[in-house]
Every structure is written in C-alpha cells, then in structure tokens.
Amino acid sequence: IPETEIVVSEEELEPEKENELPVLSKKIRRSQLFFVYVDSGGKVSLKSVVRPVYYIDSPLTDTLNSLLNGLSADEISSGLLSLVPAGTQIQGIRIQSGTAFIDFNESFRFNSFGGEGYRSQLQQIVFTATEFQTVKAVQFLVNGERLSYLGPESPYIGEPLYRESL
C-alpha cells in the first residue's frame, strides 16, 4: 500500500490574522439521556438512551440541550416520548455544592399531561443531570426565580430534587 503524502500549502503556514476568531475545538461525550416510555398497560417509566454529545465548555449544558431537542426517528419508533414542554430552553446553569441550579424559560411551566406529565418532565431533567458526578440534585428555576410549583398538578420544586425524591 503506497504511503499518502501530505502537502501543506504556504497559506496554511501563515500565522492567524488578528481579526479572525480562533477555531473552538469540540469534544465528544457519551451521555445518558432519559425519556419516557408508556407500556401497553399505561405504566409510565423512564428509559435511558446513550447518545454522543458534542460540547465545547459545558458537557452538562450541551447534554441537557440534546435532551430538550427531543427524540430521533428511531427513538420515537421504539415508543419513547419526551414530556418536557416544546419551546423549553435553558437560560443558565450553575453547580454549587452538588446541586445544579438550572434556569428554564417560561415554556417549562406548561405541561398538558397533568401530574404524571409534570413528574415525568422533572424526572427526565433530574436523571439526565445526575448522570454527571458533580450533580447530586437539581434546583429548578424559571426566569431566574425559584418557584414552589410549575403548575397546579406539579410536584413541589421549591427545594432541590434528587432521583429518590421523584
């Protein structure tokens, strides 16, 4: 097998021009995301999906954004659902003493699937976030504020939620 010769042009050897932005290198992480599965008897459970997630600085933010982006066609055909409301966006995340404070936009409050829908929506976020060693619990915020409930049938979210508390 002949060896391939790599030719570098003179232009590629020139130093970066000052007005050009540096190219940010993306890293990849195999992240575990949690979605909802409803069996034929109506029992609701969480199912995990492992996906490659590309990130620059924050693998947690990019993993949660991957969750918010929804399911692939294959995941949908296998019966998985996401009960995180459409239009939900992360406005900021900070981790302090093992708790991820995740600030969502107003769309996060509107779940049309009642109490089970709210519970599943919160589980999807908590289980996905706590896959990271630095996160033990999640404090939900909406537009920067700590709320007691997302809606009338929502579980209490005025304090950090752990996997065990859902």
Side-chain angles (χ1 to χ4, degrees):
I1 300 174
E3 287 187 32
T4 305
E5 185 177 327
I6 299 172
V7 178
V8 178
S9 73
E10 294 293 323
E11 291 172 359
E12 291 177 288
L13 295 175
E14 288 180 14
E16 274 189 25
K17 294 177 179 64
E18 285 183 36
N19 62 352
E20 288 181 6
L21 294 173
V23 175
L24 297 174
S25 62
K26 288 189 172 186
K27 300 172 192 136
I28 189 167
R29 177 186 197 277
R30 289 178 50 81
S31 292
Q32 196 166 6
L33 311 178
F34 287 83
F35 292 100
V36 176
Y37 179 77
V38 182
D39 69 16
S40 58
K43 183 175 184 254
V44 178
S45 60
L46 283 185
K47 298 282 183 190
S48 67
V49 171
V50 176
R51 275 195 201 158
V53 173
Y54 294 91
Y55 67 95
I56 295 171
D57 291 325
S58 175
L60 175 59
T61 300
D62 291 327
T63 295
L64 288 172
N65 279 326
S66 182
L67 178 73
L68 297 182
N69 288 337
L71 297 150
S72 69
D74 287 343
E75 292 162 351
I76 291 169
S77 65
S78 70
L80 295 178
L81 305 165
S82 178
L83 294 184
V84 177
T88 296
Q89 295 179 337
I90 296 171
Q91 300 183 142
I93 296 179
R94 70 180 164 86
I95 299 172
Q96 182 179 331
S97 304
T99 299
F101 291 79
I102 307 175
D103 185 12
F104 291 96
N105 66 345
E106 190 73 17
S107 296
F108 190 67
R109 296 188 65 189
F110 302 106
N111 191 308
S112 59
F113 296 100
E116 192 69 39
Y118 278 119
R119 189 173 147 280
S120 296
Q121 159 188 349
L122 296 171
Q123 284 180 321
Q124 282 185 255
I125 303 292
V126 169
F127 276 66
T128 299
T130 56
E131 278 298 305
F132 290 80
Q133 290 181 349
T134 56
V135 179
K136 303 294 178 227
V138 173
Q139 176 62 64
F140 290 92
L141 305 170
V142 176
N143 292 326
E145 293 183 38
R146 186 183 299 209
L147 305 175
S148 296
Y149 300 93
L150 290 174
E153 298 180 59
S154 161
Y156 181 71
I157 62 164
E159 62 187 22
L161 297 179
Y162 297 80
R163 284 184 174 203
E164 302 77 32
S165 57
L166 291 166

